[in-house]
Amino acid sequence: MKWHMQIALAGALALLGGCAGQTPLAGRGDAPPPAAAFTLSPGDKVKVATYGEVSLTGDFEVSPGGTIAFPLIGEVKAAGMQPDQLSKAIETQLREGYLLEPKVSVQVASFRPVYILGEVNKPGEYPYTQGLTIRGAVAKADGFTYRANEKRVFLKRTGEPGERAYPLTADFAVLPGDTIRFGERYF
């Protein structure tokens, strides 16, 4: 009986030893896309606070045309801007005949959703959260199906003409509005 325990213990240690120290496989193909500074796009919602002016404070959605409709000054271009750039643009326009020294703060209230498609258990539209990675997207979609190709991911960024394939060997950032597709593996 004692030798059975020794064999079982040796087998368990061998299995655990095989798992320790595994390193990711070297990627092939393009490097993951960089997580550029976040810029506003249609579908994002922003909270604009104009200090001392309650009527000029509120939540605004970036329209399909890339603008927000702001009181007094009308349409303000928002698409392609970072939140701090938008606050400066609103301050500049308010300074032109409306307020003497406007102080405006812009924060993102909610981001555009991400779309996770293909060989995952629950494909669909998911809310974006800051710090989301490709592996986090897989977890949001309840993991891979048994047919999933776990070595490659297809990614389409907002504004790009089509999707590109990347090795699934490293975690890289997902941005708001990204479409992520996991293909089927072939034997």
Side-chain angles (χ1 to χ4, degrees):
M1 183 79 121
K2 191 173 184 178
W3 61 273
H4 290 290
M5 294 276 264
Q6 291 174 343
I7 292 175
L9 182 59
L13 288 174
L15 286 174
L16 287 175
C19 294
Q22 287 186 349
T23 57
L25 299 173
R28 288 184 219 144
D30 293 336
F38 172 75
T39 57
L40 296 168
S41 286
D44 288 328
K45 293 181 180 149
V46 293
K47 181 170 186 66
V48 179
T50 306
Y51 299 107
E53 299 293 332
V54 177
S55 62
L56 299 177
T57 296
D59 293 336
F60 302 90
E61 183 171 352
V62 180
S63 71
T67 61
I68 62 169
F70 197 78
L72 292 180
I73 56 177
E75 299 292 315
V76 179
K77 180 185 178 295
M81 296 179 126
Q82 294 175 1
D84 61 332
Q85 293 171 324
L86 178 59
S87 68
K88 298 256 186 282
I90 294 171
E91 284 177 357
T92 300
Q93 290 185 27
L94 285 173
R95 210 174 274 120
E96 295 173 2
Y98 298 104
L99 299 175
L100 292 176
E101 284 300 317
K103 298 291 182 208
V104 177
S105 170
V106 175
Q107 295 178 326
V108 178
S110 66
F111 297 97
R112 321 179 276 294
V114 295
Y115 302 92
I116 306 170
L117 309 172
E119 295 299 322
V120 288
N121 288 312
K122 291 186 180 174
E125 177 182 301
Y126 290 89
Y128 175 79
T129 54
Q130 288 186 330
L132 183 65
T133 64
I134 289 293
R135 294 194 194 279
V138 172
K140 276 186 179 259
D142 272 357
F144 290 116
T145 65
Y146 70 93
R147 294 184 306 258
N149 179 349
E150 297 181 33
K151 296 180 181 177
R152 187 170 48 169
V153 61
F154 298 92
L155 180 70
K156 182 188 178 306
R157 295 264 191 225
T158 301
E160 289 184 358
E163 64 181 20
R164 294 181 58 188
Y166 297 98
L168 190 59
T169 56
D171 277 341
F172 55 91
V174 172
L175 297 177
D178 281 356
T179 300
I180 306 159
R181 185 175 63 84
F182 297 97
E184 188 175 358
R185 67 181 152 91
Y186 299 103
F187 295 98

